[in-house]
């Protein structure tokens, strides 16, 4: 939350196709949340913005 300046975070595990699992092994979605962001659950997965994804990856990269 600190590095992405998020107001909160959702941690989501989808287990089984009825729960929207699309990759059939255990994995978690860690979703940074911001006050008044447009995300509402359930959502329809779609491609993310490449520039936003790169900026988030850069912010989360180890600063050592």
């Amino acid at each position: 939350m600190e590095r992405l300046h998020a107001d909160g975070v959702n941690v989501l595990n989808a287990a089984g196709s009825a729960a929207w699992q699309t990759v059939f092994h255990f994995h978690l979605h860690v979703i940074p949340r911001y006050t008044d962001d447009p995300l509402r659950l359930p959502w329809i997965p779609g491609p993310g913005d490449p520039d936003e994804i790169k900026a988030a990856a850069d912010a989360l990269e180890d600063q050592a």
Side-chain angles (χ1 to χ4, degrees):
M1 288 175 44
E2 181 180 321
R3 289 190 186 185
L4 296 178
H5 308 288
D7 299 312
V9 66
N10 285 111
V11 178
L12 174 72
N13 168 248
S17 59
W20 311 309
Q21 183 179 15
T22 58
V23 179
F24 292 95
H25 63 267
F26 179 79
H27 67 280
L28 293 173
H29 298 267
V30 180
I31 307 163
R33 299 302 305 272
Y34 303 90
T35 302
D36 298 324
D37 68 28
L39 181 62
R40 299 292 175 262
L41 297 176
W43 76 87
I44 298 170
D49 178 285
D51 294 331
E52 287 185 26
I53 293 169
K54 175 78 168 99
D58 290 346
L60 294 171
E61 191 173 274
D62 186 12
Q63 301 297 315

